[in-house]
Every structure is written in structure tokens, then in C-alpha cells.
Amino acid sequence: MYSSEQTRSLQLTTKALLEKVKANTVKVKDIDDLRSALRFHEHRYYILNDPLISDFEYDSLYKQLEKLEEANPGLIIPDSPTQRVAKGLTKDFPTVQHLVPMLSLENSYNADDLIDWDRKAKELTGEKEIEYCVEPKFDGASISLIYENDILVRGATRGDGVEGDDITTNIRQIRSVPLSAKFSSYNIQQIELRGEVLMNKNSFKKYNEQLAEQNLPPLANPRNAASGSLRIKDPREVSRRNLEAFLYHASYFTLKDEGGKKKKSSSANNPPETHSASLEMLWDLGFRSPQKEKKILNGIQAVIKYCNEFESTRDGLPYEIDGMVIKVNDFAMQDKMGMTTHHPRWAIAFKFKARQGTSKLLKVEFQVGRTGSITPVAKIEPVPIGGVTVTSISLFNEDVVREKDLKIGDTVLVERSGDVIPYIVKPLIELRNGKEKNIVFPTHCPICGNKLVKPEDEAVWRCVNRNCPEQVIARIIHFVSKDAMDIRSFGEANVRKFFELGFLEDVPGVYGLPFDKIRKLEGFGEKSIDNLQTAIEASKKQPLHRLVYALGIRYVGETTAKVLAKAISYLPDFKNFSLEDLQHLEDVGPKVAGSIYQFFHDKDNIRLLEMLEANGLNLRTTKSKKNAAGNLDGQTFLFTGTLSKLKRTEAEEKVEEHGGTILGGVSSKLNYLVVGEDAGSKLEKAKKIPSIKILSENEFLEFING
Ligand code: IVH
């Protein structure tokens, strides 16, 4: 897409623009440069996964463009980087016809199926051996895009294959979909593309965590998350979900010259004549096509080998795939083979082993959570799925159980895709024998016996007894957990053990454990006691946002905890915040504000904070008194490769806590590159810039700890 020369020139443009931003001297004449630079950096970030500037720098350029366009609305163009974002809600998604029907694919499940299909393909084409293009089968929601005169004019869902819904506004929120692309340089006037919208595994996990924070049921898998997101009426919400799109097929195009007939022009590239050339074209035009993943192979045996190899990499991919797609590469040959009403004869899907299995629902247990929520958990006959044995599945809440019409004794279909938690897809009703029993929900807490309540606007039953032993245990487990106070050697098992023995009664008790008694327990050597004591001591100095998160305030996840910690210098001061004050904080709506307000106006919670402070915990923001041992003020850092001791986010957090800054890419502005395992191009690049110091993870830890 960008030659090295163009890359260099755009980097210079970026540098000049950033300097102008700093000096506040950006002018209208810079508008084209701003757009080119922003498009270039979006491509680096969303397509190549290799940003050259930090998010902060990108945002500062973006804001300048917004400002200029606001002052000069006449200069706004439809494919300006600012024009993705839409204001207001979409009224409806009108039905539109696809230029070419969106067919499905024939499925195959093993080598024999493929050998059979290859034989038929050879018969139909009269070839001895066929050249195939093999690529992943992305597991998301399929879309069609139309570009006319280089501009994205329409995006639609598959619908029934003939007609779909016009979701152009939502498609524009997907940053890997270019708003314009130079198809004209291939002599193409109009083109219809096919692709798949995905939510990658990481975004999916984060999204489900957010749902959990709001007590909403998690989405079953990234596929449902993608298709559901495409039909949301608020485009800004679509944007927040970080969708991605792979484009893998050009279903139709017309040429610019001679009313649609092909004419060679010396300056233009030729329109593609093979599938692989069309993937290359898309890649060159800035789309995310499976350019790197595809392979051109002769004969079916090589295809089978590649499919099997690719299957073994499945878990390591950032997104879900459910198989491979094998396509006859040559377009002329494809035309000769034609299609049925259901699928093209020139392509076939090779489906990977299903991550589904059937099992029997033996019983439903009811677990009490940290906030008293009662969660039904299905206990099923052990069933192996995708390399793990599943025995226990959360059913989330009563509504989910009712919607699925589950009964004890049912044979159930269980799915576990990738690293996603398993879930029950449905009961196999046709296998019922009449002996199945209804699932009865308890009216009283299974632990403390208190009467359960169900607030009107919620789907969850709750035990409102804050001293219910299971809630207390869950609160302590959360408090010591890795993302909260991170008291490593504590763990759930120890919390339960100490609680049962009466060594630990509530959260503050973590800081007053009777070590003389613990020492006498089996399995507690000097070393493990030492480790535990050190970890507990170290937790007293955790930054404030971790404590805020650890307190387990309802609806306050890690992100909101950071917002809260930033807003204050002494935690108990929140008791002086009104509901309105709280709602002025970033991303804090009425529901979250209500919960925070309640927390800081509850005398038990205030007492809890006092006790924690008396135990030496830090209730103040540490930002102002930077760690003298490792003051990183003004120093810039970048991480590459996989770290073994810290999560990437934790490492970055440490840098920021010490006053340092994280950069988006390797440049002469970078002071330190911290290198984990399998570091790639960033390390190579950094080695060429002598001023950059390269640190291993251990060196980094030593450095930061002074
Ligand atoms: S080609 C006419 N290629 O799988 C050819 N489809 O089960 C159209 N899919 O409806 C399809 N990855 O939504 C093709 N690399 C890929 C694909 C792919 C995923 C989806 C597509 C299709 C479905 C059929």
C-alpha cells in the first residue's frame, strides 16, 4: 500500500505536523496533509498492526483536523478520517439488494471429502491438476461492501443472501474498512466486496468483562458479538466495540473504460484475473485481506497439508476461525465451473473439529457471588471439548434458564470456542423421555438462609445479607486477586481455609493474620509464610486505583477505578461528592454514580476504609510523590514481544506510575525498548538507532525497582 519512499515522506509530514500542533500553527492549507497522515497511521495501526506514533500523537492530529473542518465545513469530504463518526441514532436499516447473491459454501470435514471435491473440480474443468488458493474461514458476520468511483457507498449484511440490511453507518465505524480506495488505479469503476466482520478474542473478552461489571449476561461467542454489533442503532457504540473486517472476495466489478468493457491503460494495473490477485489488490489498496494467510497450492494433497497445519495454529490467532476455504484460483476456471443455487462449485469450506459436544445436565447448583447475586451453575457429565474437559457451566440467571427451556436430565449441546468460557447452546428437546425435571429456583440463600430478593430492574436474585459467609469470602478473594491488590501467594484456597479456621473474618483481616497459628498448619513452611507476608506488606503500597477496584464497589471495574483514583487525592473524600459530581466523571452514568454514592455513604464501608488505613494501606494518590528510586520523568518506553513476569498493561502501568511515557512505535524519541520473547521488527528497528537502550524484562524490573 505504502512504498518505503511514501512511508518515509509521510513520516516527515507527520513530524512537521506534530511540530505545528505543538506551536499551534496548523493552517487550512495543512488539511490534505493531515488527512494523508491520519490515513497512513490508521493503516499502520489497524492493518499492519505496527504503529509508528503514539495514540496521543494520533489523537492530537485528529483533533486538529476536526477543528479545521469545524471552522471550514465546506472543505469536509466524505472519506475524511473524521467522517466515520456519526452523530445521533440510526432510525432503521433499509433492505437493499446485493448486486450478486451472497451464496453459502459447501462444507467438507476430512481429507476424503476434499479428495472427492477435487476429483469433481478436475472433471468440470478438464484439468489434470488445479491451482487452489487456500485461506482461513473467518468466524464472524458476513458483509458486502460497494465502492463506486473509489468511495465506499454501501455496506450491507448478508440477510437471506439476495437482500440484506443497509448498515453503511455502522460499517464506517470499523477502522480497518477504508472509506475510500483507489480502485480506479485498477481501472475499476464499481466493485462489490465480500468479507467478514469480527470481534477479536481480546476485544471480546474485554467486552464481556464490561457486561459482567453491569451484571448483564455475557455474549456467547465473538461471532454473536460481531453480528449483534452490526445491528446496533448507536454508531458510537459500534465504534467502541472495536470490530475488525477481513475482505476475502470480489464478487462483481465494472470497468471504467468503454462502458464496462476491459481496456488496457498503460498507467493502470490490470484488474485481477485470479482470486489471489484480487486479495493482493485489496491488500495494496489498504484493506485487510487474508494476503499473508492465503497460500497458492497445486493439487489437493498440498491443500490438505496446509489446512491441517493451519488448524494447529488456531488457538494462537487473535481472532476465531472455524475452518479453511479452498478456492479455484483462476477466475476463468471459476466461471467454467459455475454454481448451484446454494454455493459456488469452485469453492469449498474445510471445517475444523467442532468445539461442541453433547452432555447430560445432572443438576443445577446456586452460587452466591461477591455482591450477593445468585448464579445458577449447571453440573454436567464430563465432556471433552477442544482439549478441555467441561463439567460445570454458568447459566448466568433465571431468565437465561427460562429462555433456553432447560430441564434437569436434558441432553444439552455445549460449545466452547477458543479460550471462551463454555456455554450451553440449547437442550436437545427431541431426546427428552418425559423424565426431565424442572429447575427450581431457591427462595432463600443456599448459604445463610436469608430470604432472596429480586430488584425490579434486575434479572438476578440476591442475598442481601452482607455478612453471608460466601459473600464475605468472595469479597476477600476479589480483594487479594491479581488485578486488585495482587497479593500473589494468597489465592482462593487460602482465603477459604483461613476463613473456615476463623483466622480471617473480613477484608481488613488480611492485614492481621495470626501467623503463629498458620505456621502450625500442614503445608505452610517458613518459605511460603515468608512469601505471603512479603506479598501482604507490598500490597499496602499499591496505587490507589487498585484499592478502589479491590473494594468491589458495584459497577466499578478496573477502568472506572482508574477514573475515580485520578479524580481525588484522598479516597474517603468521595463522601463529599454529590451524585451530580460523580456523573461529571468520565464514563460514569447515573447507575454507576448511584452505586459509588451509596458505597461512600455507608458507615460500614467508611469503617472499612478507616481500618485499612490504620493497617498502613495507602489511601492517597501516589502521583505527586514519584518513587525516588526510579523516577522516570520524561523517559519514554516501548514494549515488544511477550513478557513472562508481567502483563503488558501492568508493565506499562509501572512506567506511567513512575512518571514515564509509553510510545506507539520505535523512533529516535524512544529511550528504552523492553524486549520480551519473540520480539520482531521493533527490535530490529531499535538496534539501528544507537540512542535507544534495549532492556530485557529482568533488566526493566531491576531498573524500575531502582
Ligand atoms: S467465500 C461465493 N471466503 O463462510 C463465495 N467465505 O459458510 C463466498 N466465510 O457465507 C464465500 N471466511 O460468510 C469465503 N475466506 C472466506 C470466508 C468465507 C468466512 C464465510 C462467509 C460465507 C460462509 C459460508
Side-chain angles (χ1 to χ4, degrees):
M1 165 85 178
Y2 294 97
S3 66
S4 45
E5 204 173 303
Q6 285 167 319
T7 300
R8 228 171 298 129
S9 140
L10 280 156
Q11 275 183 291
L12 288 178
T13 312
T14 307
K15 196 164 169 245
L17 286 169
L18 285 170
E19 271 159 25
K20 286 189 188 179
V21 173
K22 245 193 195 153
N24 208 0
T25 55
V26 182
K27 300 266 151 54
V28 177
K29 68 171 169 46
D30 296 316
I31 206 162
D32 286 340
D33 276 355
L34 274 170
R35 286 180 183 142
S36 319
L38 286 167
R39 285 194 192 110
F40 167 69
H41 291 295
E42 282 178 1
H43 183 256
R44 296 290 314 192
Y45 189 95
Y46 292 104
I47 308 288
L48 300 184
N49 226 336
D50 185 15
L52 294 175
I53 57 174
S54 66
D55 292 358
F56 176 78
E57 288 169 318
Y58 175 88
D59 289 344
S60 71
L61 296 179
Y62 187 92
K63 277 186 200 130
Q64 285 292 330
L65 178 60
E66 261 184 340
K67 243 165 86 185
L68 285 179
E69 288 181 345
E70 227 174 86
N72 305 280
L75 296 180
I76 298 178
I77 50 171
D79 60 331
S80 172
T82 56
Q83 297 304 299
R84 290 190 185 272
V85 198
K87 294 195 182 77
L89 298 185
T90 312
K91 281 197 199 69
D92 52 0
F93 301 113
T95 307
V96 287
Q97 261 215 318
H98 300 302
L99 300 182
V100 175
M102 286 176 83
L103 297 184
S104 198
L105 287 171
E106 185 182 352
N107 283 331
S108 69
Y109 297 92
N110 52 45
D112 287 346
D113 292 349
L114 284 180
I115 293 170
D116 243 22
W117 177 74
D118 173 60
R119 191 176 36 76
K120 275 185 255 159
K122 286 193 278 204
E123 272 169 25
L124 283 169
T125 55
E127 300 288 319
K128 278 214 181 71
E129 190 165 80
I130 297 182
E131 182 180 271
Y132 292 114
C133 182
V134 186
E135 66 203 36
K137 184 171 184 303
F138 304 100
D139 196 8
S142 47
I143 50 159
S144 126
L145 305 179
I146 299 177
Y147 286 78
E148 263 168 26
N149 300 321
D150 295 347
I151 299 283
L152 170 68
V153 292
R154 194 182 88 181
T157 60
R158 178 176 188 275
D160 64 4
V162 176
E163 291 177 335
D165 291 344
D166 185 331
I167 49 160
T168 313
T169 322
N170 285 350
I171 292 288
R172 290 171 74 93
Q173 312 307 317
I174 305 173
R175 310 276 237 154
S176 51
V177 173
L179 297 180
S180 59
K182 276 236 162 289
F183 284 107
S184 54
S185 66
Y186 287 80
N187 210 15
I188 291 170
Q189 193 261 328
Q190 186 196 39
I191 187 163
E192 186 177 41
L193 305 175
R194 297 279 143 85
E196 207 80 359
V197 169
L198 311 167
M199 187 182 276
N200 78 26
K201 292 177 188 170
N202 195 21
S203 304
F204 175 72
K205 200 165 153 246
K206 283 203 186 132
Y207 183 64
N208 264 351
E209 281 166 8
Q210 278 172 24
L211 290 178
E213 270 171 26
Q214 298 173 51
N215 253 311
L216 295 168
L219 294 179
N221 53 40
R223 183 193 336 120
N224 292 8
S227 58
S229 301
L230 287 180
R231 305 189 44 83
I232 289 176
K233 302 231 158 154
D234 180 358
R236 281 161 306 183
E237 176 56 26
V238 181
S239 175
R240 279 194 282 275
R241 296 210 184 169
N242 286 328
L243 300 173
E244 300 173 19
F246 269 100
L247 277 304
Y248 47 66
H249 182 63
S251 54
Y252 169 88
F253 55 79
T254 60
L255 301 179
K256 276 166 78 105
D257 303 326
E258 287 189 2
K261 267 201 223 121
K262 183 177 159 185
K263 184 187 157 202
K264 277 203 178 153
S265 118
S266 54
S267 66
N269 299 301
N270 290 325
E273 290 177 357
T274 60
H275 176 66
S276 57
S278 70
L279 296 183
E280 256 152 52
M281 169 182 79
L282 290 175
W283 181 259
D284 284 342
L285 291 175
F287 289 87
R288 196 157 172 216
S289 73
Q291 161 75 0
K292 301 241 166 70
E293 296 80 359
K294 69 147 204 285
K295 205 156 188 150
I296 303 166
L297 295 161
N298 279 305
I300 204 69
Q301 286 307 333
V303 168
I304 294 167
K305 189 161 169 273
Y306 187 56
C307 289
N308 289 331
E309 277 167 20
F310 214 98
E311 182 166 8
S312 64
T313 68
R314 184 181 186 185
D315 281 337
L317 296 174
Y319 47 79
E320 292 287 348
I321 62 173
D322 60 342
M324 302 297 281
V325 184
I326 300 111
K327 297 173 181 173
V328 170
N329 200 26
D330 186 71
F331 282 163
M333 223 181 271
Q334 288 187 1
D335 288 344
K336 204 163 159 188
M337 295 174 77
M339 48 191 70
T340 72
T341 48
H342 172 263
H343 59 259
R345 290 199 188 89
W346 45 262
I348 191 164
F350 174 78
K351 300 275 273 189
F352 290 158
K353 278 171 223 75
R355 285 175 161 180
Q356 283 190 337
T358 52
S359 175
K360 206 173 194 98
L361 177 54
L362 301 174
K363 61 175 175 180
V364 173
E365 286 178 356
F366 295 89
Q367 279 179 3
V368 184
R370 178 161 54 87
T371 54
S373 56
I374 306 290
T375 306
V377 178
K379 298 287 165 182
I380 60 168
E381 265 172 14
V383 55
I385 306 173
V388 205
T389 303
V390 182
T391 55
S392 188
I393 302 177
S394 168
L395 296 172
F396 204 72
N397 64 35
E398 192 177 5
D399 292 353
V400 171
V401 175
R402 303 255 176 274
E403 267 162 34
K404 292 204 164 136
D405 182 26
L406 282 173
K407 289 181 195 290
I408 311 267
D410 265 337
T411 304
V412 288
L413 183 62
V414 178
E415 184 172 313
R416 185 191 150 269
S417 47
D419 41 12
V420 172
I421 46 167
Y423 77 106
I424 292 185
V425 183
K426 58 175 183 183
L428 302 178
I429 291 179
E430 60 280 14
L431 296 183
R432 280 186 181 160
N433 59 13
K435 291 193 185 138
E436 294 75 20
K437 293 203 180 70
N438 284 335
I439 297 169
V440 183
F441 275 75
T443 51
H444 291 76
C445 174
I447 303 292
C448 70
N450 248 43
K451 198 166 166 21
L452 299 179
V453 297
K454 186 166 162 183
E456 220 171 78
D457 55 340
E458 285 187 22
V460 198
W461 285 94
R462 279 180 195 284
C463 164
V464 288
N465 168 18
R466 258 211 301 213
N467 298 321
C468 169
E470 197 49 41
Q471 282 185 54
V472 178
I473 291 176
R475 275 204 296 271
I476 307 175
I477 293 173
H478 173 75
F479 186 86
V480 301
S481 68
K482 194 160 179 292
D483 294 331
M485 298 308 274
D486 192 20
I487 309 185
R488 293 274 160 113
S489 22
F490 223 119
E492 176 168 349
N494 282 342
V495 173
R496 287 193 184 277
K497 185 181 261 166
F498 297 161
F499 189 88
E500 275 160 25
L501 292 169
F503 295 174
L504 178 60
E505 283 179 0
D506 209 342
V507 167
V510 166
Y511 297 96
L513 285 175
F515 280 105
D516 49 332
K517 290 185 186 153
I518 295 176
R519 226 169 237 122
K520 294 190 190 122
L521 296 179
E522 207 181 311
F524 282 88
E526 250 343 282
K527 187 145 182 36
S528 59
I529 297 221
D530 233 35
N531 286 344
L532 186 55
Q533 277 176 320
T534 317
I536 291 173
E537 228 18 67
S539 76
K540 294 181 180 170
K541 300 204 171 52
Q542 288 286 20
L544 190 61
H545 67 83
R546 279 183 172 268
L547 174 61
V548 176
Y549 176 63
L551 291 173
I553 307 169
R554 242 170 113 191
Y555 309 127
V556 175
E558 285 178 90
T559 320
T560 314
K562 281 188 182 158
V563 172
L564 293 182
K566 258 194 199 157
I568 206 146
S569 55
Y570 180 54
L571 189 59
D573 287 351
F574 270 122
K575 56 178 186 292
N576 306 326
F577 274 53
S578 69
L579 273 172
E580 210 186 346
D581 295 337
L582 289 166
Q583 283 188 59
H584 280 134
L585 300 174
E586 198 182 323
D587 283 337
V588 175
K591 200 159 98 176
V592 184
S595 161
I596 302 169
Y597 186 87
Q598 219 178 11
F599 186 93
F600 287 96
H601 283 81
D602 178 297
K603 64 173 181 357
D604 287 343
N605 290 332
I606 297 299
R607 171 104 194 95
L608 167 69
L609 291 179
E610 283 166 5
M611 284 164 78
L612 290 176
E613 194 169 33
N615 276 309
L617 260 81
N618 164 43
L619 302 199
R620 293 180 188 275
T621 4
T622 35
K623 235 174 50 221
S624 50
K625 37 173 178 143
K626 268 170 212 149
N627 187 330
N631 194 341
L632 304 182
D633 230 356
Q635 306 283 349
T636 58
F637 281 78
L638 180 66
F639 293 86
T640 182
T642 319
L643 303 181
S644 60
K645 302 209 171 97
L646 296 174
K647 271 201 280 185
R648 177 78 69 97
T649 44
E650 284 174 334
E652 293 180 347
E653 219 173 66
K654 280 197 187 298
V655 169
E656 282 166 354
E657 275 163 23
H658 289 71
T661 312
I662 306 294
L663 290 192
V666 175
S667 71
S668 56
K669 279 191 230 147
L670 183 64
N671 301 122
Y672 296 96
L673 181 75
V674 183
V675 183
E677 239 172 81
D678 294 326
S681 61
K682 285 189 185 129
L683 175 58
E684 291 314 309
K685 226 189 276 165
K687 280 183 182 161
K688 293 188 189 125
I689 307 177
S691 60
I692 300 180
K693 290 180 205 65
I694 294 171
L695 300 179
S696 68
E697 186 179 357
N698 281 337
E699 286 169 330
F700 166 72
L701 287 170
E702 279 170 27
F703 185 74
I704 210 141
N705 296 326

